Amino acid sequence: MKNSNRRREALLYHAKPKPGKIQIVPTKKYATQRDLSLAYSPGVAEPCLEIAKDVNNVYKYTSKGNLVAVISNGTAVLGLGDIGPEASKPVMEGKALLFKIFADIDVFDIEVGTKDIEEFIQTVKNIAPTFGGINLEDIKAPESFVIEKRLIEELNIPVMHDDQHGTAIISSAALLNALELADKDISKVRIVVSGAGSAALACANLYVLLGVKLENIIMFDKDGLLSNDRLDLSDLQRRYATTQAGITLSEALKGADVFLGLSAGNILTPEMLVGMAANPIVFAMANPVPEIDYDLAIATRDDIIMATGRSDHPNQVNNVLGFPYIFRGALDVRATKINEEMKMAAVKALAALAKESVPEQVNIAYGETKLIFGREYIIPKPFDPRLISTVAPAVARAAMESGVATHPIHDWERYEEELLERLGSDNKMVRLLTNRAKMDPKRIVFAEADQLDVLKAAQIVHEEGIGLPILLGNRETILELKDELGFDSEVPIIDPKTKEEDATRLKYADIYWKSRQRRGISLLDAQKWMRERNYFAAMMVNLGDADALVTGYSRNYPSVIKPMMQLIDKAPGISLFATTNMMMTNRGPMFLSDTAINPDPSADDLAKIALMTAKTVKMFGMQPVIAMVSFSNFGSSTDPSAAKVRQAVEYLHKYYPDMVVDGEIQADFALNPEMLGKKFPFSKLAGKKVNTLIFPNLESANINYKMLKELYHVDSVGPIIMGMDRPVHIFQLGASVEEMVNMAAVAVVDAQEKEKRRRMSAG
């Protein structure tokens, strides 16, 4: 049932709200007749004439310079085989998505309806003038080698078959670092390769360029050893054929230094692993089942250095570490090809990056105290924000030095700044958030689990490993909805109103009464309230029967926050509750506070809200740069609303001088560094990119975040409650399933942080 539900989710994801995963959006104004006359006839004739004079002007006046074609004929799609060009389109659209979110490269996916090599090559050549680069994808070997070689020779734009070179580049970086840790000489190591397809051959070819001796590579395919007496080998495979005959994979691995697997799951046994040399390097990259299970390999050899293709183990060899940034660098210097020098530059840049200090954002995303270069960290993580500003410049420099760049870069510092600016256009923070939650999932009470959308969110949280749901609500309704959704996993269901919960309810009521008996609450009142799910759920979290709580889908915010404020204490050193919303804008994540609780905070309250928000921003691995916004700029108004913001800033400057915060300031100046620098160069925000806005009242904060959400389809995570001693988070009325899943991830991360804080206090 779980697989059928996953199938349904995958199909719905691709079909709704509109079919596919990518679309084209205009980059110029088009509101007026004047705009349209410039976009098309008659204005469009002018750039056409300029390009006709000099074809290189196509990069100046069109999108060619940032446009890549992802092209396939569908003959080797993932592990599905030859399923045809139309069936390959979802994969090609997916590749387009990755290009965009990791390197801000636009893509047209092209599915070509031919298996004939010459027809395919001619088709690509005919459409090449449209593009700045060509990414070949999912074309079966040996045709893929011929096609790529010919297109590289016959076109004057970058061409790369990522299935081959992506894995080769990433695994080569891992190999360099693994050899360093194992203290092995690359010219002397012996490598056994399981698999002889395009990726395995490309890896072996690049390893040889790195310094591995050709005669030290032994390769196997599904029919056994690649030996000279075999008649079924391609010319490319024959390069790795050996005069040895009849030896098995097990025999070849005796004393071997490196195992490279790009074949099938579970073909490398513990006995084979035991026979390898000291400090064996094992790259088991069959997916989803590696050639040997990671835990089994680690248990078999404590001196092993291991990588896989999976994200749930250390050292994931993931092509997304390479292709977006390789094409980014190639496009930015208008390279005529991607040559071996550029690939090698990417290899060395990746290897070097793994040795540098890891940003806190990455440590947080992977639930690590501190990632350090070593056996479990030999290649960078896919979420590392430095990849674009490290790999792309290395590739661009190599293109220039090897003579294939036609538009060289002169200001490298400015170029790296531009690359980092490109990272603001996607939702990496949500991926970081959910990834971090998965590292240590917590028990989450879904207090309205008898609502269909809430149960859907709980199902996703459970199936994705984000958290461990506890379903609160009417048991019969929940069971019916679970059946409807195909949610057949066994998860706890609690109905606070049933007899089965009498003992727990009475215990909770007694504890609640004792804490509130001098505030007008009778025991009878407490017993009555404990029949209400939000009171019951809050007590579960208070007493450690659950780790976190999410609620609020079907009721207005004030009615849901009330029991939380009555039952949940403030965190140590905190005197008020507040909320922040993390907005996924095209300039990166923006935190807006206070969006849900304090209607008219005082100057003192605003300072406290700013401090709590700063702590929350840091929880997400970012350094807060805070603008205290108003309708006034630095004393331009004496209105009480502006004055209280000014007073809050004065307090923060006096008592928290290292905090990057300033105001009162208007929102446009806060968000436009150029305007701010010219008009207010004295500000602590000058030259910095603001990522946090503290509003003077609830009205302005709430209106702004909801306008951003609805007008510009900006994704929102929140309101995130700050200041509570327990991880309690409340949805906005009618929140979407995606918003509830994101909020559940926030609740898990919050629980992780609070648990860590308690351990530190106790220790």
Side-chain angles (χ1 to χ4, degrees), residues 531-606:
R531 297 178 65 84
E532 297 296 324
R533 63 185 68 191
N534 285 327
Y535 281 86
F536 190 93
M539 287 303 294
M540 287 183 70
V541 175
N542 244 348
L543 298 178
D545 294 335
D547 301 309
L549 160 64
V550 289
T551 185
Y553 171 79
S554 65
R555 301 183 184 187
N556 64 62
Y557 205 93
S559 69
V560 181
I561 193 71
K562 181 182 175 183
M564 306 306 154
M565 288 179 163
Q566 289 178 353
L567 273 72
I568 309 292
D569 291 336
K570 295 181 180 71
I574 298 297
S575 60
L576 85 164
F577 299 126
T579 60
T580 190
N581 275 69
M582 182 168 63
M583 312 299 292
M584 303 304 171
T585 74
N586 60 7
R587 56 180 276 139
M590 289 287 300
F591 291 81
L592 278 57
S593 303
D594 167 19
T595 52
I597 293 181
N598 298 285
D600 187 20
S602 65
D604 185 52
D605 292 339
L606 284 175

Side-chain angles (χ1 to χ4, degrees), residues 215-427:
E215 60 269 23
N216 286 344
I217 298 176
I218 299 176
M219 192 173 289
F220 291 78
D221 66 4
K222 60 181 175 29
D223 297 315
L225 178 71
L226 269 59
S227 58
N228 287 329
D229 59 354
R230 283 181 57 175
L231 303 178
D232 59 338
L233 302 183
S234 68
D235 290 341
L236 295 163
Q237 291 172 324
R238 196 160 292 284
R239 184 187 187 197
Y240 295 98
T242 176
T243 54
Q244 301 179 58
I247 66 168
T248 64
L249 180 63
S250 180
E251 290 168 336
L253 279 166
K254 288 177 181 174
D257 299 287
V258 180
F259 171 82
L260 170 65
L262 286 155
S263 52
N266 297 321
I267 64 165
L268 179 64
T269 66
E271 291 74 24
M272 294 178 187
L273 184 55
V274 167
M276 292 182 70
N279 294 308
I281 298 165
V282 174
F283 294 170
M285 294 186 290
N287 242 334
V289 181
E291 282 78 2
I292 185 170
D293 177 74
Y294 178 85
D295 293 329
L296 176 60
I298 297 299
T300 303
R301 292 285 298 259
D302 59 9
D303 60 343
I304 192 173
I305 302 172
M306 185 168 178
T308 71
R310 294 176 58 110
S311 61
D312 54 350
H313 299 310
N315 301 325
Q316 184 193 15
V317 176
N318 188 331
N319 282 20
V320 83
L321 291 169
F323 71 83
Y325 315 114
I326 293 167
F327 272 95
R328 180 76 272 157
L331 291 174
D332 291 339
V333 293
R334 296 181 197 166
T336 56
K337 61 181 63 181
I338 293 172
N339 57 26
E340 297 306 322
E341 290 89 344
M342 293 159 75
K343 295 174 198 169
M344 198 61 69
V347 169
K348 291 178 179 176
L350 285 166
L353 185 58
K355 299 176 188 177
E356 294 181 12
S357 297
V358 176
E360 187 59 19
Q361 182 178 345
V362 180
N363 285 319
I364 286 172
Y366 290 92
E368 299 284 349
T369 304
K370 191 170 179 62
L371 282 166
I372 300 174
F373 176 61
R375 291 173 183 264
E376 294 190 350
Y377 180 63
I378 59 174
I379 42 176
K381 298 289 189 180
F383 291 149
D384 195 322
R386 301 169 300 169
L387 285 163
I388 192 169
S389 59
T390 301
V391 181
V395 171
R397 284 181 190 275
M400 289 166 57
E401 290 166 2
S402 61
V404 298
T406 61
H407 184 70
I409 293 166
H410 300 292
D411 187 344
W412 288 97
E413 188 174 329
R414 177 64 191 144
Y415 176 54
E416 289 184 20
E417 288 174 4
E418 290 171 356
L419 290 171
L420 291 171
E421 284 294 318
R422 290 182 179 276
L423 289 178
S425 61
D426 75 341
N427 285 349

Side-chain angles (χ1 to χ4, degrees), residues 725-744:
D725 195 36
R726 300 288 173 179
V728 172
H729 294 282
I730 300 171
F731 311 129
Q732 280 291 335
L733 183 66
S736 69
V737 171
E738 183 181 17
E739 287 172 329
M740 288 188 278
V741 171
N742 291 341
M743 188 63 93

